[in-house]
Amino acid sequence: MNDWNHLLWSTALPLLLLTGVVLTLRSRGFALRHLGTGIRLSWHEAGSGGTSPFACLCTSLASTIGTGNIAGVAFALTAGGPGALVWMWITAALCTAVKYAECAQGSAYRRIESDGQRLGGGMVTLTHLPCRRLGLLLGGIYALLELFTTLSAANLVQSSAIAQTLWTSLAVPPMVSGVLVGGLTLAILLGGSDSVTHFSAWIVPLMIGLYLLGGLAVIFTHLAALPNAIAALFRGAFDFSAVGGGVLGNTIRIGVMRCCFSNESGTGSAAFSAALSDADPVRQGLISATSNLWDTGVMCSITGLSILVSGTLSSDLTGVPLVMESYATGLGSIGRWIVAVCLVLFAFSSLPGLAFQGESALRFLSDAPAARGVYRLGFAFLSALGCLFSTEQALLTTDFCNALLILLNLAALWWVPIPKKAEF
């Protein structure tokens, strides 16, 4: 799997960054310049119907703010060094224009299903390629890949992280965790997309607030170490001398991969929830683009800085235990509990969001209610089964799927018109 990831990301990585640069320059930094507007609109904007823009943003954040913000950042720092976090920031900044474009497209090109459900996302946008026959083919491939990703990769990462955390903190057997995760996930999914968005709008602000308070407390208790930590970040991010630049290349690759896993920029996944709102596509695009700020700019930064200022990166720990130890250096045993509680909340809230994306992809292929019922049962079962898997192995599979989704979605970003700017 590592070899395939290297091969795919050697193509997807430069193309994604190039797309981010081109879209940013072509729009003169429109999405970045209007981040403040996007934040304001997320609280006050209301469409003529459908789901509120804020609930759409929370649904998107629910699927992105998860294991990637804790375990993913820890794996990135241990594998790519402190500089990997800087490349996560760079990727998130460049891909703000990408996130805006794909979500504005998702909102503009969505279609209304027979039951009134709004359907959008990378596969729907691809059908608007100049060559419609090619667009339908690529859209179908995208939908199948999204189905595979949500069933066999992304959900396994989240559920395995929950099981690992519950075992480490409370000695809960993975089998018991699997029954709990599968049962609770199925209960939420049976309520449909409205249940998912309502759950997300409630849980996302709560879990972000708790994790931020804990992380800021850790950084404050190690404030003297903060300047050295920041210096180490930028030294590692731009050290061309290390092994002829090979180490730097690895740092960049891991930073971009972990950023894409964390905030899903370039995959087109955020457009699924953006399509639920009836807000103006440009405004919804700006609202959705703020997820890069919250996910990578804030949440991943808190995790990375907490690890670096605490000095735990030099230990033999990695993943969730590394973050727990960094929080414990500033807050004692309560720090471990904060990480444990937040990770369980992050990971669990991601599961309904991921299931919503997979079900949207299924709707593109088949609108049969029975198919959706089977999908929900299958997703809940595989979420339970994921508690028996290794988080690191599941991450490798997710990276593979993300690279393929990015390559398909880039076709829509380059050749499907992006909605024009609106006045604010």
Side-chain angles (χ1 to χ4, degrees):
M1 184 61 73
N2 265 320
D3 291 339
W4 280 104
N5 276 334
H6 277 286
L7 178 64
L8 284 172
W9 279 98
S10 65
T11 302
L13 185 151
L15 286 177
L16 176 62
L17 294 181
L18 174 64
T19 302
V21 170
V22 170
L23 290 177
T24 299
L25 293 176
R26 196 164 67 183
S27 66
R28 289 183 289 182
F30 176 71
L32 282 172
R33 287 189 292 108
H34 288 87
L35 272 179
T37 302
I39 294 172
R40 175 177 58 82
L41 290 174
S42 67
W43 289 99
H44 301 294
E45 182 77 357
S48 59
T51 306
S52 74
F54 177 72
C56 291
L57 174 63
C58 286
T59 303
S60 175
L61 285 172
S63 62
T64 58
I65 293 182
T67 305
N69 299 96
I70 299 180
V73 174
F75 284 129
L77 294 182
T78 52
L85 181 59
V86 175
W87 282 100
M88 290 181 72
W89 292 341
I90 293 171
T91 305
L94 288 176
C95 287
T96 297
V98 173
K99 181 67 71 70
Y100 161 78
E102 62 191 14
C103 290
Q105 287 177 330
S107 180
Y109 299 115
R110 67 161 183 259
R111 69 190 196 195
I112 308 299
E113 298 297 281
S114 57
D115 59 356
Q117 180 70 36
R118 294 157 177 81
L119 178 65
M123 67 279 178
V124 178
T125 304
L126 281 166
T127 63
H128 292 267
L129 286 172
C131 177
R132 180 165 174 79
R133 189 169 295 180
L134 176 62
L136 287 170
L137 173 63
L138 293 181
I141 295 173
Y142 182 100
L144 287 170
L145 183 59
E146 184 70 39
L147 272 175
F148 175 80
T149 302
T150 58
L151 286 172
S152 65
N155 66 333
L156 299 186
V157 174
Q158 309 301 337
S159 53
S160 64
I162 292 173
Q164 180 187 358
T165 304
L166 292 178
W167 172 253
T168 303
S169 305
L170 298 173
V172 177
M175 189 68 71
V176 175
S177 298
V179 172
L180 292 173
V181 169
L184 291 173
T185 300
L186 182 60
I188 295 172
L189 296 185
L190 289 177
S193 62
D194 287 342
S195 176
V196 173
T197 53
H198 292 155
F199 172 76
S200 301
W202 173 78
I203 196 67
V204 167
L206 174 66
M207 67 185 189
I208 289 177
L210 177 61
Y211 191 70
L212 286 182
L213 287 175
L216 289 173
V218 172
I219 295 171
F220 182 78
T221 58
H222 296 87
L223 207 54
L226 186 58
N228 287 335
I230 293 175
L233 284 174
F234 288 96
R235 278 198 308 269
F238 303 105
D239 185 6
F240 290 91
S241 63
V243 196
V247 174
L248 176 62
N250 184 59
T251 297
I252 295 173
R253 182 180 62 84
I254 291 174
V256 176
M257 286 169 61
R258 291 284 72 81
C259 179
C260 291
F261 170 68
S262 178
N263 63 42
E264 297 182 346
S265 288
T267 65
S269 300
F272 289 97
S273 56
L276 294 177
S277 171
D278 281 343
D280 175 79
V282 173
R283 291 172 178 258
Q284 184 60 52
L286 283 176
I287 293 169
S288 299
T290 63
S291 65
N292 280 19
L293 171 65
W294 300 125
D295 183 278
T296 306
V298 176
M299 302 300 291
C300 291
S301 298
I302 287 293
T303 300
L305 290 174
S306 297
I307 292 171
L308 292 173
V309 300
S310 66
T312 54
L313 186 59
S314 58
S315 68
D316 294 330
L317 299 173
T318 188
V320 178
L322 175 59
V323 185
M324 283 185 168
E325 187 60 29
S326 68
Y327 269 53
T329 61
L331 301 172
S333 59
I334 193 173
R336 292 189 179 90
W337 280 102
I338 288 176
V339 174
V341 169
C342 286
L343 187 134
V344 170
L345 288 176
F346 285 8
F348 182 71
S349 68
S350 293
L351 291 172
L354 290 167
F356 163 72
Q357 293 174 3
E359 191 170 322
S360 296
L362 178 63
R363 274 181 174 269
F364 180 83
L365 300 169
S366 171
D367 199 27
R372 296 198 295 274
V374 171
Y375 174 83
R376 292 171 186 175
L377 288 172
F379 185 92
F381 172 75
L382 289 171
S383 296
L385 192 64
C387 290
L388 306 178
F389 280 75
S390 159
T391 304
E392 196 164 2
Q393 186 59 43
L395 272 171
L396 291 175
T397 307
T398 305
D399 289 336
F400 174 81
C401 294
N402 280 343
L404 290 175
L405 287 171
I406 287 170
L407 291 173
L408 287 169
N409 190 52
L410 287 179
L413 290 171
W414 279 94
W415 289 297
V416 176
I418 299 170
K420 301 294 183 181
K421 302 175 188 176
E423 296 296 328
F424 300 102

